[in-house]
Amino acid sequence: MSNVLEVRNLKKHYNSFALHDISFDVPRGYIMGFIGPNGAGKTTTIKLILSMVTADSGTVKCPNNERIGVVLDAPFYVDEWRVRDVEKALAPFYAQWDTFVYANYLSQFGLDANKKVKELSRGMKIKLQLAVALSHNAELLVLDEPTSGLDPVAREEICDLLRGFVSSEDKSVLFSTHITSDLEKTADFITFILKGNIVFTGQTDALTGKYARISGGLDDLTEAQQGLVIGYRPYCTGFEGMIELAHLTKMPSSVLVEEISLDEIIIYMTKEVGVHE
């Protein structure tokens, strides 16, 4: 399996935040979900990949900028540009720009070529960026929170586009989002970043299949057993948390064990790191 993106040992230090040895791969023909709470380092990592900031150390191996399509939470287009002006401004930077593909996406997305960028809703601005990203034969799409604030229909439309994009098996997506339900439907792989560190990178099923949600009464667990529960949270009538499946045999039969979502994994892992700081 070849990779369209390889990140190795990236480091970046700011006064109040640092990335530590960030390493992961995005395989060709797949969607990689990039998850973590606010401030975990997702956007900083993406900026390093796109050479928008300079790393202190480490390497990024990826296609040249002409072969990367980018969708950010807000476009960098001039507010006074009309939609048709976006093509005029950006097409010269891409040797493989396809005017007909761009026009087709404008039509598919219901984008009026005469509207100004500032007149577009957030959802339409995201779709405009997607139209650009998909019109120059990109090998890699890099998306930073593209579905945040969109309604479910618009989010599903974008997820369908991403699934179609990777169907050729030679193109890939790095998809950063807080809406993990979108990733559960689309992402083949997950990279989980927390406080500037990668805590998991691999197949989505390997992450959700590694843990379970656990709950029970306050007196169900010994202190040693509580120590095995990630993000252990006691409350007035019981407790809840997350546990590695490998430790389930050490739990009493009285506890309730349930499947866990990506959202819950992020919550419990974040709580665990906060508890032990």
Side-chain angles (χ1 to χ4, degrees), residues 169-235:
E169 298 185 356
D170 63 344
K171 299 180 178 182
S172 304
V173 175
L174 178 62
F175 184 4
S176 169
T177 181
H178 287 103
I179 306 174
T180 54
S181 60
D182 291 342
L183 296 180
E184 288 172 322
K185 292 182 290 187
T186 60
D188 309 285
F189 294 83
I190 290 289
T191 293
F192 181 11
I193 187 170
L194 186 59
K195 292 191 178 293
N197 295 281
I198 299 295
V199 296
F200 176 88
T201 185
Q203 292 186 348
T204 304
D205 290 346
L207 177 58
T208 55
K210 183 179 180 180
Y211 301 102
R213 185 179 183 277
I214 189 172
S215 60
L218 279 177
D219 298 326
D220 283 351
L221 303 185
T222 65
E223 187 173 341
Q225 289 170 329
Q226 290 176 18
L228 297 175
V229 180
I230 299 167
Y232 178 82
R233 177 190 172 191
Y235 48 92

Side-chain angles (χ1 to χ4, degrees), residues 9-14 17-19 48 53-59:
N9 305 116
L10 278 187
K11 294 182 180 180
K12 181 66 178 179
H13 291 266
Y14 295 102
F17 176 77
L19 289 180
L48 290 168
V53 296
T54 302
D56 297 334
S57 61
T59 61

Side-chain angles (χ1 to χ4, degrees), residues 135-162:
S135 295
H136 55 85
N137 196 29
E139 289 181 71
L140 173 66
L141 288 186
V142 178
L143 304 101
D144 189 12
E145 301 293 346
T147 56
S148 177
L150 301 186
D151 64 68
V153 173
R155 284 173 26 223
E156 184 62 27
E157 186 178 5
I158 289 173
C159 289
D160 283 343
L161 274 173
L162 299 183

Side-chain angles (χ1 to χ4, degrees), residues 11-39:
K11 294 182 180 180
K12 181 66 178 179
H13 291 266
Y14 295 102
N15 289 335
S16 58
F17 176 77
L19 289 180
H20 308 282
D21 290 317
I22 301 300
S23 297
F24 63 91
D25 300 326
V26 178
R28 193 172 295 276
Y30 292 95
I31 297 174
M32 169 72 79
F34 196 28
I35 64 173
N38 287 333

Side-chain angles (χ1 to χ4, degrees), residues 39-276:
K42 299 189 300 298
T43 297
T44 300
T45 301
I46 286 173
K47 287 181 177 180
L48 290 168
I49 291 170
L50 298 176
S51 300
M52 296 171 69
V53 296
T54 302
D56 297 334
S57 61
T59 61
V60 175
K61 182 180 178 182
C62 64
N64 63 45
N65 287 342
E66 281 197 24
R67 303 304 303 278
I68 300 177
V70 180
V71 179
L72 304 177
D73 60 347
F76 287 107
Y77 309 147
V78 177
D79 281 344
E80 294 298 325
W81 283 353
R82 299 187 185 277
V83 169
R84 64 171 179 268
D85 298 327
V86 173
E87 179 181 21
K88 293 177 184 177
L90 299 183
F93 293 97
Y94 299 104
Q96 297 191 53
W97 181 271
D98 192 321
T99 294
F100 296 103
V101 170
Y102 183 71
N104 284 336
Y105 277 117
L106 294 188
S107 176
Q108 178 180 336
F109 294 153
L111 284 162
D112 184 346
N114 292 311
K115 268 199 170 184
K116 293 183 177 181
V117 170
K118 67 181 182 181
E119 296 173 334
L120 300 177
S121 67
R122 170 173 167 72
M124 285 301 184
K125 287 178 180 177
I126 294 296
K127 289 180 177 180
L128 177 57
Q129 289 187 86
L130 275 168
V132 171
L134 295 167
S135 295
H136 55 85
N137 196 29
E139 289 181 71
L140 173 66
L141 288 186
V142 178
L143 304 101
D144 189 12
E145 301 293 346
T147 56
S148 177
L150 301 186
D151 64 68
V153 173
R155 284 173 26 223
E156 184 62 27
E157 186 178 5
I158 289 173
C159 289
D160 283 343
L161 274 173
L162 299 183
R163 287 188 287 261
F165 179 77
V166 300
S167 63
S168 64
E169 298 185 356
D170 63 344
K171 299 180 178 182
S172 304
V173 175
L174 178 62
F175 184 4
S176 169
T177 181
H178 287 103
I179 306 174
T180 54
S181 60
D182 291 342
L183 296 180
E184 288 172 322
K185 292 182 290 187
T186 60
D188 309 285
F189 294 83
I190 290 289
T191 293
F192 181 11
I193 187 170
L194 186 59
K195 292 191 178 293
N197 295 281
I198 299 295
V199 296
F200 176 88
T201 185
Q203 292 186 348
T204 304
D205 290 346
L207 177 58
T208 55
K210 183 179 180 180
Y211 301 102
R213 185 179 183 277
I214 189 172
S215 60
L218 279 177
D219 298 326
D220 283 351
L221 303 185
T222 65
E223 187 173 341
Q225 289 170 329
Q226 290 176 18
L228 297 175
V229 180
I230 299 167
Y232 178 82
R233 177 190 172 191
Y235 48 92
C236 59
T237 59
F239 79 92
E240 66 175 40
M242 179 174 73
I243 191 166
E244 290 191 35
L245 295 184
H247 294 319
L248 274 180
T249 56
K250 301 174 183 178
M251 295 292 110
S253 59
S254 58
V255 301
L256 176 64
V257 180
E258 301 172 288
E259 290 185 0
I260 196 164
S261 67
L262 284 175
D263 261 343
E264 289 175 313
I265 290 173
I266 294 172
I267 290 167
Y268 290 130
M269 289 289 284
T270 303
K271 178 175 174 61
E272 183 74 5
V273 170
V275 166
H276 293 298

